[in-house]
Amino acid sequence: MKVEYLNPFLDASRSVIQELGLGRATVGKIEIAPNPHGSGGLLSMIGITGRLTGRVLYDMNESTAINIAGVMMGETLPELTQMARSAIGEFTNMISGNAATILKERGFAVDITPPTVITGGQMTLTDFGEMNVTLVVPLILNKGVVTVNLAIKEAHKHGG
Amino acid sequence: MADELALPKKPDGSNFKILIVDDSEFMIKNLERILTGMGADVLDSALDGLQAVEKYKKLMPNIDLVTLDITMPNMSGIDALAAIRSADPKARVVMVSALGHQDIVKTAILKGAKHFVVKPFKAEKVFEVLKLVLSKPA
């Protein structure tokens, strides 16, 4: 997987995080993993289609999800409510949508799917099809860590 | 909501009536709070494009504006825009989406969207766009 696919997600993350009043995000140690493990808190999965294909998974523990959703909702949340889960889904949708815009500007026309938010339990993120390399990128916020798991590649070119 | 973010009234003195379409319950609630605070009436909301078209047709002609997300299940916002404009060529639709590249904006405008707001947004941006769109005849 090329690093040029990752940078739009990092740029979009920093921009969205700041715009939402979540402060500044720094990037932790980037790793490559065949089957990364979810933190057991909340996962939001978004598919990438078009010139590039694959998926991006945003992984965070429950307390980070509660903190981020609380800022977005303008209230202190005692727990991860349905509305908070929806807020986190929208948070990841905004990052992915903004990343898709940057990718398009750099010559990679992609579309994104609506987010699927999953909560609870330790999960192993078994990859799909030919996608066997995932870039694991921790985004360190003052509200906690959001780990971006990115696995995308150029779509097969069909003749004609 | 500050007074300076108050939307104008309709010629009969009533509030403009809005349908919010987004697959995120959070975003619907957020937009509803912003729009209600500006003096608009949110008549209903829809979670996908199919629901949006169905609800728009039921609300016609008592609906003044639709805020429409693009990335949604069942029917995308772009397809819903085309269907709504086909049912009501005067429909005022403002796209509100995390996708904001030139091609998608151009496609939406060509299909009849009046304006485009990219997420994340500030309330002031929504106000500025809606004030502009609602100041023009449908």
Side-chain angles (χ1 to χ4, degrees), chain B residues 16-57:
Chain B
F16 281 104
K17 292 169 180 55
I18 297 179
L19 171 66
I20 299 173
V21 184
D22 202 297
D23 63 330
S24 163
E25 290 173 55
F26 161 78
M27 187 51 67
I28 288 175
K29 191 181 175 192
N30 190 33
L31 274 171
E32 185 171 14
R33 180 182 55 78
I34 291 171
L35 298 174
T36 305
M38 290 174 185
D41 291 342
V42 175
L43 291 195
D44 206 345
S45 61
L47 288 163
D48 63 42
L50 278 177
Q51 269 188 24
V53 176
E54 193 179 298
K55 290 193 174 189
Y56 187 89
K57 286 178 179 173

Side-chain angles (χ1 to χ4, degrees), chain B residues 51-71:
Chain B
Q51 269 188 24
V53 176
E54 193 179 298
K55 290 193 174 189
Y56 187 89
K57 286 178 179 173
K58 279 185 187 164
L59 291 169
M60 280 172 61
N62 299 313
I63 188 81
D64 300 302
L65 186 137
V66 183
T67 68
L68 187 54
D69 187 15
I70 291 179
T71 305

Side-chain angles (χ1 to χ4, degrees), chain B residues 105-125:
Chain B
V105 173
K106 195 174 164 186
T107 299
I109 299 298
L110 286 173
K111 287 184 182 289
K114 300 292 186 191
H115 222 297
F116 205 108
V117 175
V118 178
K119 299 173 184 172
F121 53 75
K122 300 280 186 212
E124 289 78 5
K125 178 67 182 177

Side-chain angles (χ1 to χ4, degrees), chain B residues 69-81:
Chain B
D69 187 15
I70 291 179
T71 305
M72 295 186 291
N74 301 325
M75 181 190 278
S76 78
I78 294 294
D79 290 341
L81 166 66

Side-chain angles (χ1 to χ4, degrees), chain A residues 16 19-20 72-73 75 82-83 86-87 90 93-94 96-98 100-101 104-105 110-115, chain B residues 22-27 29-30 33 69-73 97-103 118-122:
Chain A
V16 168
E19 188 76 18
L20 290 174
M72 292 176 73
M73 293 163 68
E75 57 189 280
Q82 174 60 32
M83 192 57 76
S86 175
E90 187 57 36
N93 174 59
M94 287 177 191
S96 305
N98 281 244
T101 297
K104 168 72 182 169
E105 286 163 0
V110 297
D111 202 355
I112 59 170
T113 66
Chain B
D22 202 297
D23 63 330
S24 163
E25 290 173 55
F26 161 78
M27 187 51 67
K29 191 181 175 192
N30 190 33
R33 180 182 55 78
D69 187 15
I70 291 179
T71 305
M72 295 186 291
S97 172
L99 292 172
H101 56 78
Q102 282 185 351
D103 284 3
V118 178
K119 299 173 184 172
F121 53 75
K122 300 280 186 212

